[in-house]
Amino acid sequence: MTSPDTVSAAASFATAQVQHGFAAGVQHRTAVPPIHQTAAYEFANLQEAADLFALRKSGIIYSRNSSPTQLILEERVAALEGGVSAVAVASGQAAVAITLLALAGRGGHIIAANQLYGGSVDLLQDTLDDFGITTTFVDQDDADAWRAAVTPQTRVFFAESVANPIAQVLDIRLVADIAHDAGVPLVIDNTVGTPYLIRPGEHGADFSVHSATKFLAGHGTSLGGVVVDLGSFDFGAEPEKWPQLTRSQHRFGDVVPWEEFGPTRAFTVLAKSKYVSDLGPALSPFNAWQILQGIETLDLRVSRQSGSALKIAEYLAGHPKIAAVHHPGLAGNPWHELAGRYLPRGVPSVFSFDLAPDGDEDELERVARLIDGLQTFRLIANIGDARSIVAHPALMTHNHLNAEQRSAAGISLGTVRVSVGLEDPADLIADLERALALL
């Protein structure tokens, strides 16, 4: 390859201003992952380019599919989850979408928990339905409902490890066993749970999905999503269910993903080379780098947030203006036993509470007075941030759900969600006390 000095020595000003001082592939031994802020990557020769495009060789073609910074993020999250490979994309919503699209296939059927983040419900009941992929929603605690919903077209079970916003803890092993009896994988959204507090693969799940925007990043600056293949599901056992993995695809010539890449990479190769490539939810190298910075302190942040959230939940549970506190760390909570079984390191810091009614006063006006009276908690549509956040699910994150769906998810007009950050819990309790005094 021609060196940059040779190029610039014989080049005009216009050529030098584009190429001088840089040689593709030069390593600089940086101590931390660098930001590879480039759209494309230079090939050594035409044969290498052809092999990469045909999936005969592994490597990076274009930043829509991957970047070196993104690869580090993928490997790191896969390691934290105990998985075999991962795909990082532009948002948590994109991670859920490409995972379900890749698994459901044409005309597939999904069984999903009622207790899901509102954006996931929108995706399932509206957009995927438009694509011909149908969903049956079930109560995640009802084993018989999961079993009864299975059809010959069912291709995936989907639920959250700890549901947003009511913090219901899923019996992952129970649901995984039902999914496997039906011959399909279980996908767990582990955004709230985080790989520090719970690793779904250790309890039978086959895929773990994250909105990396939340706890993995932790600083509230960068969107991103990751899906981890936990390496446990055998797509070759019933190959007719998974033609996208077990048959050759015209775009890849004679390559059969399951045969060529095996259980460690077949799904992620399919997800990147088809769904990410075609739909374009690319993760920018800069966002990948920022998420990596957050991951370095994940256990420290989550431990502190979990401890602070429990203190706040205990305070709220004793307040006369609070009707219920939905925190599985509290004795008497319906999911307290499951929390002890699945979350020995602590319960996540995202939970909800219901305001007690007061005579004939409008419930939404009462909620608004509380939320607008808070000073330390921020009114933001996010969770897992360093800042403590409050939200109103019925009017915000779950506003597209009808009353029946909200009820099935445990959400009322008086439900307030909190995501506890890194502030002093005494300050957060004082903030709640001031606001509650306004009611």
Side-chain angles (χ1 to χ4, degrees), residues 171-238:
D171 191 340
I172 299 174
R173 174 57 64 183
L174 173 67
V175 178
D177 288 346
I178 298 170
H180 297 156
D181 287 344
V184 302
L186 171 62
V187 176
I188 292 295
D189 186 330
N190 199 31
T191 298
V192 174
T194 79
Y196 176 68
L197 295 180
I198 182 170
R199 301 213 300 184
E202 295 177 351
H203 307 288
D206 303 291
F207 293 87
S208 185
V209 179
H210 288 271
S211 172
T213 314
K214 313 300 193 296
F215 287 99
L216 293 183
H219 36 59
T221 66
S222 307
L223 292 178
V226 183
V227 52
V228 179
D229 184 346
L230 300 169
S232 55
F233 192 79
D234 182 5
F235 291 98
E238 295 182 87

Side-chain angles (χ1 to χ4, degrees), residues 99 102-104 155-156 183-187 206-207 229-247 257-259 262-268 270:
T99 302
L103 292 174
R155 294 295 179 268
V156 60
V184 302
L186 171 62
V187 176
D206 303 291
F207 293 87
D229 184 346
L230 300 169
S232 55
F233 192 79
D234 182 5
F235 291 98
E238 295 182 87
E240 67 281 0
K241 281 186 174 182
W242 321 102
Q244 65 270 44
L245 289 164
T246 60
R247 296 178 190 171
W258 189 248
E259 294 177 1
T264 61
R265 293 184 57 225
F267 172 83
T268 51
L270 173 69

